[in-house]
Amino acid sequence: MSAINGETHTLAAAKQYAAEMTKAAGAAVASIEQSIAHLQAREVTGPVLDRLAEASELAAALQAKFVEVSTLLAGQDVVAEAYAAVPHAGSKKFLTQE
């Protein structure tokens, strides 16, 4: 397991974190599938393979969730771009109050 920095104090850092977690979960899926194939080649059967299959499904679900996180974070780029375009516009409260 690689060390992934969970400090997400900026949008760029949050997007990088989500990308790294997506990649790590994908690597976990591939690793588990490889392990299953190796064990099956050695005629291992039963609960071990069942648990590994479950672990693979969980890792795939985790990967899918981080893809969703990445998509949601990318949607925030428009906000960052708007603030960059008009840096003196005021606070969020000022801009969104009716």
Side-chain angles (χ1 to χ4, degrees), residues 13-84:
K15 288 167 53 178
Q16 181 64 33
Y17 174 75
E20 289 176 9
M21 289 299 292
T22 299
K23 184 177 176 181
V29 171
S31 176
I32 294 166
E33 294 299 328
Q34 182 180 26
S35 181
I36 289 170
H38 286 218
L39 291 170
Q40 287 174 329
R42 283 149 188 84
E43 300 179 13
V44 174
T45 61
V48 169
L49 294 179
D50 295 340
R51 295 304 85 78
L52 285 170
E54 291 169 5
S56 180
E57 290 173 12
L58 289 169
L62 179 64
Q63 183 181 30
K65 288 299 177 187
F66 275 106
V67 167
E68 290 178 28
V69 169
S70 292
T71 300
L72 292 167
L73 288 169
Q76 294 181 17
D77 285 338
V78 68
V79 176
E81 291 164 3
Y83 279 129

Side-chain angles (χ1 to χ4, degrees), residues 76-93 95-96:
Q76 294 181 17
D77 285 338
V78 68
V79 176
E81 291 164 3
Y83 279 129
V86 190
H88 304 292
S91 69
K92 177 181 176 181
K93 183 176 179 180
L95 295 170
T96 59

